[in-house]
């Protein structure tokens, strides 16, 4: 019973979340809408939680994680990743609002517009739409229009509807207004982080049974076992960014606006989910095949091995981009000819995203499969596996109980290393036109549409810059974290270095 | 050796057949030729007669596998499967949607692709090895540490950024070279410099890091310790012993991509307007020209398999202990 304790807690927590979600939904007149990728994201989160519980109780799994937890860069990267994940998860809860009930109507009708929690949080960004391009912090539009000034027709840059609309005299007041707002943000960030620092000290002091003051000094002097101070500093920087955005983006367009006047910051935030979904779901989808086929090839050998090797050599021999292109083109034709299967726009874009993940999964499982086959060939020679065979343990049990745990580190390393490559691949694929649906918000689509505006003068650079910066921070954090994971789990790397 | 080669080529056949069946399934079974026609002609307002005409123009008006009503009496060869898929094996790629001969286009367009790919490979090798050697020379110092961090940062930047940034900086601000285009002969150089440079910079992070690992692995081997024990200086050890031996995995690792150089770099060529096979492929994808995509898939797999065979051969050349085909 004791072994199941953590699982029961988890299940209870999940039940609580589901019930509260349903409860909130009933009281606020919204209808939850679970997209396909949403469901898979939830599944992934549950799987990760189960994995964490599992790892907590097993020393051989806890060791490497503890090793990672002591690395400064890795933990700093993890804080950044958590931030992205938080935004991505907020954007993975979709619902539809109820329309106002007409007189005499008994049934509740829901709006066709599907929103996510992130959309609600970023309502200010989403709804303050301009008419066309505007530079970051601009108060005037990018293109000239016919305006009426003192009864005369003048061709000039019009004021933006929202960006800096509160200023009476933009040329003079803008800078001081931005500085004032930034200082407020700085102050807020400092206060909030001081509060969090206190909580951190209290929690750590309780665990260590020392005084809060002593614990705080320990953290400030980088003397704690885990690099709390580094994590805290990273957190502070992120918090500052959040407060700057909160304070400034309600008055200006911090990253400017795009062609149709949408706030670029909003687009960049929405893209986070797309990037994360491609980076994680692709691996989640291909993992069962790669693991099963890889282990089977290495364990059974003979004709099973031949067949599996044939399959992955064939798939491998097609250049990845072309296989993806071929599959996506077929999919496009199929979707075009079966419009009845996809009710709304968001259903269609979501389906396309899922298919893209599946196709990327098909092209990327071969590498992992080959590694697993090689490792299984080695592991199945080990004494305890031979002993299990001699005892007449069934093949399935030998593979899942004895071989799988011994090759898990390869799977884990492959998963974290693949992530950043997939996020980058999305941008390239969208450029070629075989990525996510053009209607879906993603960094690739942002870059693709902004690329055409490079020739304009003055140059429209902000969309590109925002997409590249958001993508760069995510990929850099993922790369730094995956390095630590590889060092910790790869037995060939000696831990002492 | 010859027996081995013959066996490898025979072994490649089922793989090519597999590739062929897969693309055939993707293009003709999942979507019927009717769907393709409708896609090209526009989904709405399309008459059955227009579809039939489109299919006839492009040779899709036959049954998939078996044609009992064939006029020439060849029930198996007068089918889509035979004319569109089997004929790829003799490198007869047929015509593109705009009526041009694909085989001719490929032979014309592979030269610009090579003009970018080969300099990129050579310059790249030189740069990556130099960078990695420097890091290995200063291993476990702050220079090495900073270099690795720099490599990770470079790795994390999207390849599109290098291209767009490079085009903007070099061509638009500094006006050093034209933004895009291509010419034949020596004038091509000014069009090629920037794509080659960007191609090299784009993969500097991952490659240098990988080569550094290879160097470090080599440095920890016994013969290096012996060389040091003989009193050789660190410089001699690194450049005479380590470099030579580390080049073996580096060069054999490159052999597999050599044939693929023909295929060109999709993104670079398309951004710089180079009329190579990469931009040919991208244009085909954008115009949904399935005939070209199928031809490129087949060509790509053939080149990949040639690369694998070349790799095996190169192993026997650099390492005489490996014998092919014999037990």
């Amino acid at each position: 019973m004791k072994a199941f304790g953590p699982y029961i807690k988890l299940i209870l927590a999940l039940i609580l979340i589901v019930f509260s979600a349903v409860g909130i939904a009933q009281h606020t007149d919204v209808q939850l809408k679970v997209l396909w990728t949403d469901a898979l994201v939830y599944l992934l989160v549950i799987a990760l939680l189960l994995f964490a519980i599992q790892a907590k109780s097993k020393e051989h799994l806890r060791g490497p994680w503890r090793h990672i937890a002591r690395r400064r860069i890795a933990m700093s990267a993890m804080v950044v990743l958590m931030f992205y994940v938080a935004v991505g998860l907020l954007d993975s809860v979709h619902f539809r609002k109820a329309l106002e009930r007409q007189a005499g109507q008994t049934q509740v009708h829901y709006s066709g517009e599907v929103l996510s929690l992130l959309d609600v949080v970023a309502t200010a960004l989403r709804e303050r739409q301009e008419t066309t391009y505007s530079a970051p912090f601009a108060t005037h539009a990018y293109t000239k229009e016919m305006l009426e000034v003192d009864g005369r027709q003048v061709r000039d840059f019009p004021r933006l509807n929202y960006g800096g609309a509160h200023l009476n005299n933009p040329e003079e007041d803008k800078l001081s207004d931005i500085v004032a707002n930034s200082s407020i943000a700085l102050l807020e960030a400092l206060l909030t982080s001081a509060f969090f620092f206190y909580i951190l000290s209290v929690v750590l002091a309780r665990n260590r049974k020392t005084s809060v003051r002593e614990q705080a000094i320990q953290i400030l002097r980088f003397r704690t076992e885990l690099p709390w101070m580094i994590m805290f500093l990273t957190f502070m920087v992120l918090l500052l960014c959040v407060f700057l955005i909160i304070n400034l983006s309600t008055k200006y367009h911090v990253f400017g606006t795009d062609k149709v006047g949408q706030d670029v910051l909003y687009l960049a935030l929405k893209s986070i989910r797309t990037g994360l979904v491609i980076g994680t779901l692709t691996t989640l989808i291909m993992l069962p095949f790669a693991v099963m086929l890889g282990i089977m090839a290495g364990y059974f050998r003979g004709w099973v091995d031949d067949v599996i090797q044939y399959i992955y050599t064939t798939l491998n021999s097609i250049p990845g981009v072309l296989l993806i292109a071929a599959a996506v083109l077929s999919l496009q034709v199929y979707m075009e000819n079966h419009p009845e299967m996809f009710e709304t726009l968001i259903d269609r874009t979501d389906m396309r995203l899922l298919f893209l993940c599946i196709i990327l999964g098909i092209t990327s499982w071969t590498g992992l499969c080959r590694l697993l086959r090689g490792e299984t060939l080695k592991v199945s020679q080990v004494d305890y596996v031979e002993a299990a065979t001699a005892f007449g343990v069934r093949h399935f049990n030998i593979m899942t109980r004895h071989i799988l745990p011994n090759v898990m580190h390869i799977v884990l390393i492959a998963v974290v290393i693949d992530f950043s490559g997939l996020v980058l691949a999305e941008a390239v694929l969208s450029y070629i036109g075989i990525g996510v649906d053009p209607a879906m918000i993603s960094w690739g689509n942002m870059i693709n549409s902004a690329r055409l505006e490079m020739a304009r003068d003055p140059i429209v650079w902000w969309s590109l810059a925002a997409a590249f910066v958001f993508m760069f921070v995510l990929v850099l954090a993922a790369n730094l974290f995956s390095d630590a994971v590889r060092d910790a789990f790869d037995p060939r790397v000696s831990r002492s270095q | 050796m010859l027996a081995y080669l013959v066996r490898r080529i025979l072994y490649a056949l089922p793989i090519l057949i597999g590739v062929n069946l897969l693309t055939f399934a993707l293009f003709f079974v999942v979507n019927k030729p009717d769907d393709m026609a409708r896609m090209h002609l526009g989904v709405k307002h399309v008459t059955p007669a227009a579809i039939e005409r489109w299919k006839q123009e492009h040779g899709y008006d036959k049954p998939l596998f078996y044609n009992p009503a064939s006029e020439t009496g060849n029930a198996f060869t007068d089918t889509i499967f035979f004319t569109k898929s089997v004929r790829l094996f003799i490198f007869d790629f047929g015509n593109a949607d705009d009526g041009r001969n694909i085989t001719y286009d490929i032979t014309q367009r592979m030269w610009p692709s090579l003009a970018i790919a080969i300099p990129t490979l050579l310059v790249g090798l030189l740069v990556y090895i130099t960078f990695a050697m420097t890091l290995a020379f200063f291993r476990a110092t702050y220079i090495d540490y900073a270099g690795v961090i720099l490599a990770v940062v470079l790795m994390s930047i999207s390849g599109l950024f290098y291209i767009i940034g490079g085009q903007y900086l070099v061509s638009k601000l500094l006006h050093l070279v034209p933004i895009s285009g291509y010419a034949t002969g020596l004038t091509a150089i000014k069009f090629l410099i920037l794509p080659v440079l960007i191609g090299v910079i784009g993969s500097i992070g991952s490659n240098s890091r990988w080569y550094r690992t290879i160097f470090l692995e080599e440095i920890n081997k016994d013969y290096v310790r012996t060389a040091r024990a003989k009193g050789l200086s660190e410089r001699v050890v690194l450049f005479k012993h380590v470099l030579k031996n580390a080049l073996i995995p580096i060069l054999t690792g490159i052999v597999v991509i050599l044939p693929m150089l023909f295929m060109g770099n999709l993104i670079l060529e398309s951004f710089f307007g180079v009329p190579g096979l990469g931009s040919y492929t991208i244009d085909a994808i954008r115009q949904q020209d399935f005939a070209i995509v199928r031809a490129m898939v087949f060509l790509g797999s053939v080149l990949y398999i040639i690369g694998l065979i070349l790799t095996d051969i190169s192993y026997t050349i650099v390492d005489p202990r490996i014998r092919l085909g014999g037990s």
Side-chain angles (χ1 to χ4, degrees):
Chain A
M1 192 59 207
K2 202 184 165 206
F4 290 104
Y7 295 105
I8 291 171
K9 266 190 221 161
L10 179 71
I11 290 165
L12 284 179
L14 285 175
I15 291 173
L16 199 70
I17 290 171
V18 170
F19 268 99
S20 49
V22 171
I24 292 167
Q26 274 179 345
H27 280 96
T28 48
D29 270 353
V30 293
Q31 183 189 40
L32 283 178
K33 177 161 176 77
V34 181
L35 298 173
W36 272 100
T37 48
D38 285 344
L40 286 169
V41 167
Y42 302 153
L43 188 73
L44 184 71
V45 171
I46 294 171
L48 280 178
L49 285 175
L50 288 177
F51 180 73
I53 292 171
Q54 188 90 26
K56 215 174 164 187
S57 60
K58 298 222 164 97
E59 179 52 35
H60 70 279
L61 289 173
R62 207 162 42 171
W65 284 115
R66 208 183 289 140
H67 179 72
I68 296 170
R70 289 203 191 101
R71 306 243 320 220
R72 291 181 169 186
I73 294 181
M75 290 320 273
S76 171
M78 199 195 71
V79 174
V80 177
L81 284 178
M82 298 291 263
F83 228 78
Y84 273 86
V85 169
V87 175
L89 285 180
L90 272 184
D91 205 7
S92 293
V93 182
H94 290 94
F95 57 84
R96 299 198 302 191
K97 275 189 182 156
L99 296 174
E100 273 179 43
R101 213 173 295 188
Q102 308 276 317
Q105 220 174 11
T106 47
Q107 225 176 349
V108 186
H109 287 276
Y110 293 97
S111 144
E113 189 187 23
V114 179
L115 293 176
S116 73
L117 285 183
L118 182 73
D119 291 327
V120 175
V121 174
T123 308
L125 290 176
R126 184 165 53 93
E127 289 180 345
R128 296 176 331 127
Q129 198 158 347
E130 308 290 348
T131 46
T132 182
Y133 290 112
S134 69
F137 292 108
T139 53
H140 291 82
Y142 171 80
T143 43
K144 283 186 178 176
E145 271 174 33
M146 289 308 274
L147 296 174
E148 206 163 304
V149 181
D150 308 329
R152 281 183 302 123
Q153 292 279 320
V154 183
R155 218 176 139 67
D156 201 2
F157 299 106
R159 281 290 291 269
L160 292 177
N161 299 335
Y162 298 99
H166 62 295
L167 301 172
N168 290 326
N169 209 344
E171 283 81 18
E172 291 160 24
D173 301 343
K174 193 167 91 173
L175 193 67
S176 58
D177 187 57
I178 292 174
V179 171
N181 275 307
S182 312
S183 337
I184 295 173
L186 185 66
L187 203 68
E188 284 171 339
L190 283 177
L191 284 175
T192 321
S193 43
F195 172 70
F196 277 110
F197 186 78
Y198 178 73
I199 289 187
L200 179 68
S201 309
V202 169
V203 171
L204 285 182
R206 183 167 292 178
N207 284 348
R208 299 280 149 66
K209 306 214 164 42
T210 51
S211 75
V212 175
R213 206 182 111 80
E214 206 161 296
Q215 185 64 47
I217 293 171
Q218 294 263 320
I219 296 174
L220 282 176
R221 287 189 179 159
F222 297 87
R223 291 251 178 84
T224 43
E225 194 195 348
L226 302 184
W228 285 112
M229 192 60 202
I230 296 286
M231 285 160 79
F232 180 71
L233 285 176
T234 318
F235 181 70
M236 239 171 101
V237 172
L238 290 172
L239 212 57
L240 180 63
C241 293
V242 170
F243 275 109
L244 277 176
I245 285 172
I246 290 175
N247 276 308
L248 289 172
S249 69
T250 47
K251 290 170 178 150
Y252 299 94
H253 297 289
V254 180
F255 283 102
T257 54
D258 75 346
K259 191 171 190 171
V260 292
Q262 274 221 301
D263 195 296
V264 171
L265 176 66
Y266 173 70
L267 297 179
L269 284 175
K270 288 287 278 183
S271 304
I272 289 178
R273 176 177 184 269
T274 316
L276 289 178
V277 163
I278 288 188
T280 52
L281 286 194
T282 301
T283 343
L284 181 78
I285 289 168
M286 67 104 170
L287 217 50
F289 296 99
V291 171
M292 201 177 72
L293 293 178
I295 292 181
M296 274 170 65
Y299 180 75
F300 288 118
R301 296 175 210 190
W303 68 269
V304 179
D305 190 17
D306 286 340
V307 170
I308 293 171
Q309 274 201 64
Y310 170 71
I311 294 173
Y312 73 62
T313 322
T314 305
L315 278 178
N316 226 5
S317 71
I318 304 175
V321 181
L322 284 170
L323 184 58
I324 296 167
V328 171
L329 286 183
S330 307
L331 180 74
Q332 264 174 359
V333 176
Y334 186 81
M335 283 184 148
E336 202 100 336
N337 286 303
H338 299 80
E340 70 281 356
M341 283 177 70
F342 313 101
E343 273 181 21
T344 56
L345 180 72
I346 197 159
D347 279 324
R348 202 188 75 210
T349 55
D350 185 65
M351 220 43 196
R352 172 117 181 226
L353 179 65
L354 184 62
F355 271 114
L356 185 67
C357 289
I358 294 174
I359 293 162
L360 279 171
I362 290 173
T363 52
S364 64
W365 66 278
T366 49
L368 178 62
C369 186
R370 200 171 57 217
L371 282 178
L372 284 175
R373 172 182 170 272
E375 193 68 16
T376 309
L377 279 175
K378 264 188 262 167
V379 171
S380 48
Q381 301 292 324
V382 177
D383 289 345
Y384 57 77
V385 176
E386 284 180 356
T389 319
F391 277 125
V393 181
R394 285 166 52 199
H395 290 313
F396 181 76
N397 285 346
I398 292 180
M399 285 193 279
T400 50
R401 296 251 177 91
H402 300 287
I403 294 176
L404 185 62
N406 283 299
V407 296
M408 250 347 239
H409 64 278
I410 293 183
V411 176
L412 192 73
I413 293 170
V415 168
V416 288
I417 286 182
D418 279 354
F419 175 81
S420 44
L422 288 168
V423 174
L424 290 176
E426 186 271 324
V428 173
L429 292 180
S430 294
Y431 166 73
I432 306 177
I434 49 175
V436 293
D437 194 277
M440 181 144 212
I441 303 174
S442 80
W443 290 313
N445 280 336
M446 281 173 75
I447 293 169
N448 197 18
S449 52
R451 181 180 60 87
L452 302 167
E453 307 298 335
M454 289 293 287
R456 288 179 88 141
D457 195 54
I459 181 171
V460 180
W461 51 269
W462 43 90
S463 260
L464 279 177
F468 281 131
V469 166
F470 270 77
M471 201 156 61
F472 170 69
V473 173
L474 174 63
V475 174
L476 181 65
N479 273 336
L480 292 172
F481 189 71
S482 71
D483 274 359
V485 172
R486 191 178 47 191
D487 284 356
F489 280 92
D490 197 340
R492 283 176 305 171
V493 181
S494 87
R495 225 47 83 66
S496 56
Q497 278 174 0
Chain B
M1 188 73 175
L2 193 70
Y4 172 78
L5 271 183
V6 170
R7 221 181 57 209
R8 274 307 295 259
I9 290 166
L10 285 180
Y11 180 66
L13 269 181
I15 291 176
L16 285 178
I17 292 172
V19 169
N20 221 325
L21 286 177
L22 190 72
T23 44
F24 183 78
L26 270 177
F27 284 116
F28 294 110
V29 182
V30 176
N31 297 295
K32 301 279 176 300
D34 286 25
D35 297 335
M36 247 188 314
R38 223 169 285 143
M39 179 96 182
H40 274 273
L41 300 168
V43 178
K44 285 168 192 164
H45 318 299
V46 57
T47 58
I51 290 180
E52 279 309 315
R53 200 169 58 241
W54 189 89
K55 277 163 62 182
Q56 201 172 5
E57 274 168 19
H58 296 91
Y60 294 124
D61 56 340
K62 295 164 187 160
L64 285 182
F65 295 106
Y66 184 67
N67 187 3
S70 168
E71 288 154 19
T72 48
N74 300 319
F76 287 102
T77 53
D78 204 14
T79 57
I80 288 183
F81 180 69
F82 189 83
T83 51
K84 298 286 172 189
S85 262
V86 179
R87 289 187 72 83
L88 292 178
F89 281 97
I90 53 165
F91 293 97
D92 172 13
F93 298 127
N95 289 338
D97 281 352
D98 57 3
R100 292 173 65 93
N101 186 290
I102 298 176
T103 316
Y104 174 78
D105 271 353
I106 287 176
T107 51
Q108 289 297 305
R109 280 173 166 260
M110 62 189 241
W111 302 111
S113 284
L114 285 176
I116 289 187
I118 291 175
T120 310
L121 179 77
L122 294 179
V123 176
L125 261 184
L126 194 72
V127 172
Y128 308 146
I129 289 177
T130 318
F131 189 42
M133 272 302 259
T134 321
L135 295 187
F137 187 76
F138 293 106
R139 64 190 171 281
T141 64
Y142 276 106
I143 295 176
D144 180 30
Y145 193 66
V148 173
I149 294 279
L150 179 71
V152 177
V153 169
L154 288 176
M155 261 165 75
S156 308
I157 298 174
S158 167
L160 295 174
F161 176 78
Y162 292 113
I163 300 176
I164 296 176
Q167 271 189 333
Y168 181 70
L169 186 74
V170 178
S171 301
K172 225 182 149 192
L173 284 188
L174 304 175
H175 296 292
L176 292 179
V177 291
I179 284 192
S180 67
Y182 191 72
T184 46
L186 276 179
T187 41
I189 290 176
K190 68 177 180 193
F191 291 104
L192 291 179
I193 288 179
L194 193 57
V196 168
L197 202 70
I198 287 173
V200 170
I201 294 175
S203 42
I204 207 170
S206 50
N207 279 331
S208 305
R209 220 171 142 218
W210 178 39
Y211 292 170
R212 175 183 164 272
T213 342
I214 293 176
F215 285 133
L216 288 186
E217 237 167 63
E218 210 62 37
I219 280 175
N220 290 324
K221 284 190 176 161
D222 286 342
Y223 74 90
V224 179
R225 201 180 308 144
T226 315
R228 285 213 194 92
K230 285 195 301 187
L232 296 182
S233 72
E234 184 68 18
R235 210 158 39 88
V236 177
V237 171
L238 267 186
F239 285 94
K240 278 219 141 160
H241 298 241
V242 174
L243 181 61
K244 250 188 209 166
N245 285 290
L247 275 180
I248 294 175
I250 290 177
L251 291 181
T252 43
I254 279 172
V255 171
V256 72
I257 62 159
L258 280 182
M260 296 296 276
L261 293 183
F262 283 101
M263 298 285 285
N265 187 322
L266 297 185
I267 311 293
L268 269 180
E269 285 181 17
S270 128
F271 262 97
F272 286 96
V274 176
L277 281 181
S279 53
Y280 188 56
T281 314
I282 282 206
D283 291 344
I285 293 171
R286 289 211 172 126
Q287 289 158 13
Q288 309 192 321
D289 192 324
F290 296 91
I292 298 179
V293 174
R294 255 183 302 124
M296 294 309 284
V297 166
F298 186 77
L299 190 66
S301 356
V302 171
L303 293 173
Y304 176 80
I305 290 166
I306 293 176
L308 286 185
I309 297 174
L310 286 181
T311 308
D312 283 352
I313 295 171
S314 69
Y315 273 125
T316 57
I317 294 169
V318 295
D319 190 346
R321 283 172 301 180
I322 299 175
R323 289 230 169 70
L324 294 178
S327 55

